[in-house]
Amino acid sequence: MAAESINKKGMLVAGGWVLPSPSRKSLEVKNPYSGEVVGVLPVATAADVEEAVSAAERALPVLGKLPAHRRSAILEETAKRIEALGEELARTITLESGKPIKDARGEVGRAVQTFRFAAGEALRIHGETVPMDAHKAGEGRFGFWMRVPVGIVGAITPFNFPLNLVAHKVAPAIAAGCPVVLKPASQTPLTAVRLGEILLESGLPEVALNIVFGGGGTVGEWIVGHPKIAKISFTGSPPVGRRILERAGLKRVTMELGSSSAVVLDEDADLEKALPRCVLGGFAQAGQSCVSVQRIFAHERIYARVCESLVRAVERLRVGDPLRDDTDVGPMIAEAEAARAQAWIEEAVGQGAEKRLGGTREGAVLAPTVLVGANNGMKVMKHEIFAPVVAIAPFKTFDEALGLVNDSIYGLQAGVFTRDVGKAFRAIRELNVGGIMINDVPTYRVDHQPYGGVKESGLGREGPRFAVEEMTTIKMVVFNL
Ligand code: NAP
């Protein structure tokens, strides 16, 4: 059967679609499961990025004149169209990312919510009056502050949520009145193209969204270093985040980075509830989520039972073709990534961990893997593995467990299963992370919550309300009466 090509358009620059041509370099998008080319896109030159930024600059006054209710209506219309095109979008996500189709459908549903919440936020951007006469120098003055768009947003996104993580940047930017220059991940740009079409069909002024493709080290860096871009909104790995911070200068920056997310299963944990959540959190989309369950700390009294039950549950996962409705675990994004994760597994085994399940690989498909007797010194716990691999270790006391969770360079989200409300509050107080899930896994997220991390996991927060705050700036006004 011929490869399914899903690319109909190209780059979106200044309201026009730039198609691949022999005079330009092109980017082949491959299905990570079959290796087939599913789309070809043009690679942006420095001149294309310049044109995209100029178009975004022209969009500033256009968006500035667009009333909040219109911006909200465009976002609501986009949500409706994404919902209506759900299956097509899910298929595009699966073909370019290898994500199982059921997870891709879930991602489409979440993107609908992200646009709907952003549509609501567009209507709520406001300021406050300031009691000027609280100080003698303020007598006879009337003051207030308001929020204004920060300017052009440069959005750089990763491969693992090709639709919803683009939505988390583009939707709040439109709500805030900011034009966008978007560079999606080179492995998964096709869904972003389709989203661009949908936004234009939903009434977004043409120049307000520009989408360019190409390598992070070229196109990404041109965006980051561009003096007319006011804010960089980045989701991706910590090393790239650091590089962007070095180059961004005085731009506003939001960094949604990686993690080695942990779950604590205390001795009284409801395992009936906890274990299925750990399986989902650890293995959905082949563990390639920033809040995948990677480290499980189980109380020593339940440790053996946790290891055994988890292995039994993971054995039942269906692995293979991501387009099949019943597939739980598909390929990783690339064979090289699967080989890297496999090498980390073998290194952990060499350091004393026991491989209870998995560790084998066929191309980009790494078998779901459970390691027991692991520790925080091993790469499989210390660094983000971003693979269908879960490592389990025992603990004696709850304080020790909290210490083990905090013993990480990352701090995105953590999960704690306990029936003791006192311990739950201790975890809330002591865990140094951006989000804590009591009686759930760190993988839990709704799209309107504040989402982001501390330490190497990032700076700033997403979730439409919080992203709008980061994409607007405060302007103070004083009347001398
Ligand atoms: P990545 O390698 O850091 O790439 C992310 C994006 O940055 C891509 O568009 C990439 O372009 C671009 N890029 C690379 N080098 C760049 C540079 N020097 N300047 C500007 N842009 C550059 O990440 P990934 O492998 O796609 O995604 C996985 C990572 O994302 C994991 O660490 C995961 O935890 C993190 N993530 C975090 C969150 C969160 O919300 N906290 C959510 C999802 C994923 P190319 O594709 O062309 O290389």
Side-chain angles (χ1 to χ4, degrees):
M1 197 174 75
E4 178 174 356
S5 175
I6 45 179
N7 173 37
K8 307 281 187 301
K9 299 278 182 185
M11 267 188 310
L12 179 58
V13 176
W17 294 98
V18 182
L19 301 176
S21 74
S23 61
R24 287 177 178 279
K25 280 195 189 158
S26 57
L27 173 71
E28 281 190 341
V29 185
K30 289 190 178 151
N31 173 338
Y33 184 67
S34 66
E36 290 172 326
V37 175
V38 290
V40 178
L41 289 167
V43 169
T45 60
D48 292 323
V49 172
E50 205 50 55
E51 205 186 328
V53 175
S54 298
E57 203 180 11
R58 292 198 298 282
L60 272 169
V62 179
L63 280 181
K65 283 190 202 116
L66 207 62
H69 71 88
R70 279 289 307 136
R71 299 197 307 274
S72 177
I74 291 166
L75 293 166
E76 183 56 44
E77 179 62 25
T78 306
K80 272 194 206 137
R81 285 174 188 249
I82 293 174
E83 204 162 32
L85 293 168
E87 199 53 27
E88 180 205 322
L89 282 162
R91 202 173 164 83
T92 304
I93 292 171
T94 294
L95 284 174
E96 67 176 351
S97 72
K99 177 180 300 205
I101 190 78
K102 64 180 171 190
D103 294 341
R105 289 180 185 129
E107 179 175 350
V108 173
R110 286 184 56 189
V112 171
Q113 291 306 310
T114 304
F115 272 94
R116 286 228 158 101
F117 282 116
E121 290 310 322
L123 306 176
R124 284 191 282 271
I125 300 171
H126 61 89
E128 275 179 15
T129 55
V130 177
M132 299 301 291
D133 61 356
H135 190 281
K136 203 166 168 304
E139 282 177 30
R141 304 284 204 283
F142 179 81
F144 63 94
W145 60 264
M146 56 197 217
R147 285 195 171 274
V148 296
V150 72
I152 302 170
V153 170
I156 300 179
T157 53
F159 74 81
N160 63 332
F161 285 89
L163 180 63
N164 197 36
L165 290 182
V166 174
H168 267 288
K169 301 191 183 319
V170 172
I174 296 166
C178 297
V180 178
V181 177
L182 164 71
K183 191 207 93 62
S186 297
Q187 289 132 325
T188 57
L190 298 171
T191 312
V193 175
R194 195 68 185 99
L195 179 62
E197 284 183 276
I198 294 170
L199 276 157
L200 296 188
E201 287 158 11
S202 304
L204 184 70
E206 277 189 339
V207 283
L209 175 64
N210 295 267
I211 312 177
V212 289
F213 311 112
T218 51
V219 177
E221 298 219 351
W222 296 332
I223 291 173
V224 171
H226 202 292
K228 289 187 176 162
I229 291 185
K231 180 191 164 74
I232 299 297
S233 178
F234 172 71
T235 301
S237 60
V240 174
R242 274 183 189 286
R243 168 83 187 145
I244 290 176
L245 272 182
E246 278 164 22
R247 288 184 51 84
L250 287 178
K251 289 184 175 65
R252 284 263 193 104
V253 173
T254 301
M255 292 271 146
E256 296 287 350
L257 308 178
S259 176
S260 167
S261 298
V263 184
V264 173
L265 302 177
D266 200 19
E267 57 188 317
D268 66 353
D270 177 350
L271 293 184
E272 298 285 306
K273 186 164 155 184
L275 292 177
R277 296 294 292 159
C278 287
V279 173
L280 191 75
F283 298 95
Q285 43 185 46
Q288 297 168 116
S289 155
C290 48
V291 276
S292 279
V293 171
Q294 186 173 331
R295 301 181 292 157
I296 297 180
F297 298 112
H299 191 277
E300 60 181 3
R301 286 205 195 101
I302 59 167
Y303 178 67
R305 203 175 128 209
V306 164
C307 295
E308 201 192 307
S309 310
L310 204 79
V311 166
R312 264 193 274 120
V314 176
E315 267 170 346
R316 288 196 291 271
L317 293 175
R318 279 174 297 259
V319 181
D321 184 352
L323 280 173
R324 283 184 56 133
D325 281 334
D326 61 353
T327 293
D328 298 305
V329 179
M332 289 177 59
I333 190 67
E335 185 168 355
E337 282 301 300
R340 174 200 46 85
Q342 195 179 29
W344 289 21
I345 294 166
E346 291 314 315
E347 186 181 292
V349 170
Q351 291 167 341
E354 185 194 340
K355 188 167 51 183
R356 282 278 178 92
L357 190 70
T360 55
R361 181 174 70 80
E362 232 177 276
V365 181
L366 181 67
T369 303
V370 179
L371 291 167
V372 306
N375 65 57
N376 274 344
M378 297 173 180
K379 238 188 240 164
V380 290
M381 279 203 166
K382 191 170 180 180
H383 294 294
E384 181 179 43
I385 193 160
F386 228 55
V389 180
V390 162
I392 318 176
F395 68 86
K396 283 187 197 315
T397 66
F398 193 69
D399 282 341
E400 183 195 351
L402 298 184
L404 287 167
V405 175
N406 280 338
D407 176 25
S408 172
I409 55 172
Y410 307 107
L412 192 47
Q413 297 207 126
V416 176
F417 284 85
T418 176
R419 294 180 213 245
D420 180 334
V421 74
K423 283 182 175 171
F425 273 94
R426 241 159 69 209
I428 293 165
R429 231 181 5 251
E430 288 172 32
L431 290 181
N432 190 16
V433 288
I436 297 178
M437 308 299 136
I438 302 296
N439 292 325
D440 212 334
V441 285
T443 327
Y444 180 83
R445 176 186 184 184
V446 284
D447 287 280
H448 54 301
Q449 74 177 60
Y451 182 77
V454 298
K455 301 193 274 183
E456 296 269 317
S457 292
L459 299 169
R461 293 293 178 266
E462 281 193 340
R465 173 179 156 198
F466 308 94
V468 164
E469 279 179 13
E470 305 220 359
M471 291 176 182
T472 50
T473 191
I474 288 177
K475 188 177 267 184
M476 176 71 197
V477 181
V478 180
F479 274 70
N480 187 357
L481 300 169

Coordinates of all heavy atoms in Angstrom, one line a residue, residues 156-160 165 183-186 214-217 220-221 224 234-238 240 243-244 256-259 290 384 386 412 451, ligand 1:
I156 N 7.8 27.8 20.0 CA 8.6 26.7 19.6 C 8.1 25.4 20.3 O 8.1 25.4 21.6 CB 10.1 26.9 19.9 CG1 10.6 28.2 19.1 CG2 11.0 25.7 19.4 CD1 12.0 28.6 19.3
T157 N 7.7 24.4 19.6 CA 7.0 23.3 20.2 C 7.7 21.9 20.0 O 8.4 21.8 19.0 CB 5.6 23.2 19.7 OG1 5.6 23.2 18.3 CG2 4.8 24.4 20.2
P158 N 7.4 21.0 20.9 CA 8.1 19.6 20.7 C 7.2 18.7 19.9 O 6.1 19.0 19.5 CB 8.1 19.2 22.2 CG 6.9 19.7 22.8 CD 6.6 21.0 22.1
F159 N 7.7 17.4 19.8 CA 7.1 16.4 18.9 C 5.9 15.7 19.6 O 5.1 15.1 19.0 CB 8.1 15.4 18.4 CG 8.5 14.4 19.5 CD1 7.7 13.3 19.8 CD2 9.7 14.6 20.2 CE1 8.1 12.4 20.8 CE2 10.1 13.7 21.2 CZ 9.3 12.6 21.5
N160 N 5.9 15.7 21.0 CA 5.1 14.7 21.6 C 3.6 15.0 21.7 O 2.8 14.1 21.9 CB 5.6 14.3 23.0 CG 5.7 15.5 24.0 OD1 5.8 16.6 23.6 ND2 5.6 15.2 25.2
L165 N 0.0 21.0 22.3 CA 1.0 22.0 22.8 C 1.2 23.2 21.9 O 1.6 24.2 22.4 CB 2.3 21.2 23.0 CG 2.3 20.3 24.2 CD1 3.6 19.6 24.5 CD2 1.8 20.9 25.5
K183 N 7.3 27.7 15.3 CA 8.1 26.7 14.7 C 7.8 25.4 15.4 O 8.2 25.2 16.5 CB 9.6 27.0 14.8 CG 10.4 26.0 13.9 CD 11.8 25.8 14.4 CE 12.0 24.6 15.3 NZ 11.7 23.3 14.7
P184 N 7.1 24.5 14.7 CA 6.8 23.2 15.4 C 8.0 22.3 15.2 O 8.9 22.6 14.5 CB 5.6 22.6 14.6 CG 5.5 23.4 13.3 CD 6.4 24.6 13.4
A185 N 8.0 21.2 16.0 CA 9.1 20.2 15.9 C 9.2 19.7 14.5 O 8.2 19.4 13.8 CB 8.8 19.0 16.9
S186 N 10.5 19.5 14.1 CA 10.7 19.0 12.7 C 10.1 17.6 12.5 O 9.7 17.3 11.3 CB 12.2 19.0 12.4 OG 12.7 20.3 12.4
G214 N 11.8 24.0 10.0 CA 13.3 23.9 9.9 C 13.9 23.5 11.2 O 13.2 23.5 12.2
G215 N 15.2 23.3 11.2 CA 15.9 22.8 12.3 C 15.9 23.9 13.5 O 15.9 25.1 13.3
G216 N 16.0 23.3 14.7 CA 16.0 24.2 15.9 C 17.3 25.1 15.8 O 17.2 26.3 16.2
G217 N 18.4 24.5 15.4 CA 19.6 25.3 15.4 C 19.7 26.4 14.4 O 20.5 27.3 14.5
G220 N 14.9 27.9 14.5 CA 14.5 28.1 15.9 C 15.4 29.2 16.5 O 14.9 30.2 17.1
E221 N 16.7 29.2 16.2 CA 17.5 30.2 16.8 C 17.3 31.6 16.1 O 17.4 32.6 16.8 CB 19.0 29.8 16.6 CG 19.3 28.5 17.4 CD 20.6 28.5 18.1 OE1 21.5 29.4 17.9 OE2 20.8 27.5 18.9
V224 N 14.4 32.9 18.1 CA 14.8 33.3 19.5 C 15.6 34.6 19.5 O 15.4 35.4 20.4 CB 15.6 32.1 20.1 CG1 16.2 32.6 21.4 CG2 14.7 30.9 20.3
F234 N 8.4 28.4 24.9 CA 9.1 27.2 24.4 C 8.6 26.0 25.3 O 8.5 26.0 26.5 CB 10.6 27.3 24.7 CG 11.4 26.1 24.4 CD1 11.6 25.6 23.1 CD2 12.0 25.4 25.5 CE1 12.3 24.4 22.9 CE2 12.7 24.2 25.2 CZ 12.9 23.7 23.9
T235 N 8.4 24.9 24.6 CA 8.2 23.6 25.2 C 9.2 22.6 24.6 O 9.2 22.5 23.4 CB 6.8 23.1 25.1 OG1 5.9 24.0 25.7 CG2 6.6 21.7 25.9
G236 N 10.0 22.0 25.4 CA 11.0 21.0 24.9 C 11.9 20.6 26.0 O 11.6 20.6 27.2
S237 N 13.1 20.2 25.6 CA 14.0 19.6 26.6 C 14.9 20.6 27.3 O 15.1 21.7 26.8 CB 15.0 18.6 25.8 OG 15.7 19.4 24.8
P238 N 15.3 20.3 28.5 CA 16.1 21.3 29.3 C 17.4 21.8 28.6 O 17.6 23.0 28.6 CB 16.4 20.6 30.6 CG 15.3 19.6 30.7 CD 15.0 19.1 29.3
V240 N 17.9 22.3 25.4 CA 17.5 23.3 24.4 C 17.0 24.6 25.1 O 17.2 25.7 24.7 CB 16.5 22.7 23.4 CG1 16.0 23.8 22.5 CG2 17.1 21.6 22.6
R243 N 19.8 26.7 26.1 CA 20.4 27.4 25.0 C 19.5 28.6 24.6 O 20.0 29.7 24.3 CB 20.5 26.4 23.8 CG 20.8 26.9 22.5 CD 22.3 27.1 22.3 NE 22.5 27.8 21.0 CZ 23.5 28.6 20.8 NH1 24.3 28.9 21.7 NH2 23.6 29.2 19.6
I244 N 18.2 28.4 24.6 CA 17.3 29.5 24.2 C 17.4 30.6 25.3 O 17.5 31.8 24.9 CB 15.8 29.0 24.2 CG1 15.7 28.1 22.9 CG2 14.8 30.1 24.1 CD1 14.4 27.4 22.7
E256 N 8.7 25.3 29.2 CA 8.0 24.1 29.7 C 8.9 22.9 29.4 O 9.0 22.6 28.2 CB 6.6 23.9 29.0 CG 5.6 25.0 29.4 CD 5.1 24.9 30.8 OE1 5.3 23.9 31.5 OE2 4.4 25.8 31.2
L257 N 9.7 22.4 30.4 CA 10.8 21.5 30.1 C 10.5 20.1 30.6 O 9.3 19.7 30.9 CB 12.1 22.1 30.6 CG 12.4 23.5 30.2 CD1 13.7 24.0 30.8 CD2 12.4 23.7 28.7
G258 N 11.5 19.3 30.8 CA 11.4 17.9 31.0 C 11.2 17.5 32.5 O 11.1 18.4 33.4
S259 N 11.2 16.2 32.8 CA 11.0 15.8 34.1 C 11.4 14.3 34.2 O 11.6 13.6 33.2 CB 9.5 15.9 34.5 OG 9.3 15.4 35.7
C290 N 5.9 14.7 29.2 CA 6.8 15.3 30.2 C 6.4 14.9 31.6 O 7.2 15.1 32.5 CB 6.7 16.8 30.0 SG 5.1 17.4 29.8
E384 N 15.6 12.2 32.4 CA 14.3 11.9 31.7 C 14.5 10.9 30.7 O 15.2 11.1 29.7 CB 13.8 13.2 31.1 CG 12.5 13.1 30.4 CD 12.0 14.4 29.8 OE1 12.8 15.1 29.2 OE2 10.8 14.7 29.9
F386 N 11.9 9.4 28.8 CA 11.0 9.7 27.7 C 10.8 8.4 26.8 O 11.0 8.4 25.6 CB 11.6 10.8 26.8 CG 10.6 11.9 26.5 CD1 9.8 12.5 27.5 CD2 10.3 12.2 25.2 CE1 8.9 13.5 27.3 CE2 9.3 13.2 24.9 CZ 8.6 13.8 26.0
L412 N 8.5 18.9 38.0 CA 7.3 19.3 37.2 C 6.1 18.9 38.0 O 5.5 19.8 38.6 CB 7.4 18.6 35.8 CG 6.4 19.1 34.8 CD1 6.3 20.6 34.6 CD2 6.8 18.5 33.4
Y451 N 0.1 25.1 34.8 CA 1.0 23.9 34.5 C 2.4 24.4 34.2 O 2.6 25.2 33.3 CB 0.4 23.2 33.3 CG 1.2 21.9 33.0 CD1 1.0 20.8 33.7 CD2 2.0 21.9 31.9 CE1 1.8 19.6 33.4 CE2 2.8 20.8 31.6 CZ 2.6 19.6 32.3 OH 3.3 18.5 32.0
Ligands
NAP1 P1 13.6 19.4 21.9 O1 14.6 18.5 21.2 O2 14.1 20.3 23.0 O3 12.9 20.2 20.7 C1 11.8 21.1 21.0 C2 11.7 22.2 20.0 O4 12.9 23.0 20.1 C3 11.7 21.6 18.5 O5 10.9 22.4 17.7 C4 13.2 21.8 18.1 O6 13.4 21.9 16.7 C5 13.5 23.1 18.8 N1 14.9 23.4 19.0 C6 15.9 22.6 19.0 N2 17.1 23.2 19.2 C7 16.8 24.6 19.2 C8 17.5 25.7 19.4 N3 18.9 25.7 19.6 N4 16.9 26.9 19.4 C9 15.5 27.0 19.3 N5 14.8 25.9 19.1 C10 15.4 24.7 19.1 O7 12.4 18.5 22.5 P2 11.6 17.3 21.9 O8 12.5 16.1 21.8 O9 10.8 17.7 20.7 O10 10.5 17.1 23.0 C11 10.7 16.3 24.2 C12 11.0 17.2 25.3 O11 10.0 18.1 25.6 C13 11.1 16.4 26.6 O12 12.2 16.9 27.4 C14 9.8 16.7 27.3 O13 9.8 16.6 28.7 C15 9.6 18.1 26.9 N6 8.2 18.5 27.1 C16 7.8 19.3 28.1 C17 6.5 19.6 28.3 C18 6.0 20.5 29.4 O14 4.9 21.1 29.3 N7 6.8 20.7 30.4 C19 5.5 19.1 27.4 C20 6.0 18.3 26.4 C21 7.3 18.0 26.2 P3 13.7 20.5 15.9 O15 12.5 19.6 16.0 O16 13.9 21.1 14.5 O17 14.9 20.0 16.5

